[in-house]
Amino acid sequence: MGKGEGREVRKALALHVHQPIGEEIRSIAGYYMVLEEGVLKYRDREVLYLLEAAAADTSCCGGAGMGFIMVPGYIRELRGRKNEEGLWVSEVDRVEDEGERREITRELKARHPGFHQIIFA
């Protein structure tokens, strides 16, 4: 058997660390927070997405904020283990196909009309 034969190749597999809901995650210019986690059924899979808000409140140029939806990817294993900080970790497959990204974006905007920015990890 040749190298790689007989084994499933995990294309675009990634780990997603779940941040606490409603807790500020600080950075040099401000913070972001996860407002809500959700699962979108798409075709025969489930897509993990996060409603998030970011604020630049320590910037020299003044304050600003925005809401957006982060899409880690297709769920492979949801909250399968905890990391060394005690946060849940999920396995996801990144959404790489542009057509699928467009369709998922359309469905998320319909579900959450106040959020216009969709970011795929």
Side-chain angles (χ1 to χ4, degrees), residues 37-69:
E37 285 189 7
V39 174
L40 173 73
K41 292 193 183 303
Y42 176 73
R43 296 184 183 177
D44 61 341
R45 301 185 79 181
E46 294 181 318
V47 176
L48 177 64
Y49 71 91
L50 315 167
L51 297 181
E52 297 188 4
D57 62 354
T58 57
S59 168
C60 64
C61 306
M66 66 176 272
F68 58 96
I69 300 175

Side-chain angles (χ1 to χ4, degrees), residues 38-98:
V39 174
L40 173 73
K41 292 193 183 303
Y42 176 73
R43 296 184 183 177
D44 61 341
R45 301 185 79 181
E46 294 181 318
V47 176
L48 177 64
Y49 71 91
L50 315 167
L51 297 181
E52 297 188 4
D57 62 354
T58 57
S59 168
C60 64
C61 306
M66 66 176 272
F68 58 96
I69 300 175
M70 174 63 71
V71 181
Y74 295 110
I75 298 169
R76 183 177 284 267
E77 180 181 51
L78 186 62
R79 292 185 180 88
R81 65 180 174 86
K82 288 190 175 185
N83 68 9
E84 52 280 351
E85 285 90 36
L87 298 173
W88 285 108
V89 177
S90 293
E91 288 185 6
V92 297
D93 291 322
R94 300 288 190 216
V95 180
E96 295 182 330
D97 182 88
E98 287 302 320

Side-chain angles (χ1 to χ4, degrees), residues 16-37 50-58 68 87:
H16 171 73
V17 178
H18 296 263
Q19 299 299 317
I21 303 295
E23 205 170 284
E24 290 183 5
I25 297 117
R26 300 293 310 181
S27 72
I28 193 165
Y31 67 91
Y32 79 94
M33 72 172 55
V34 177
L35 304 172
E36 176 184 320
E37 285 189 7
L50 315 167
L51 297 181
E52 297 188 4
D57 62 354
T58 57
F68 58 96
L87 298 173

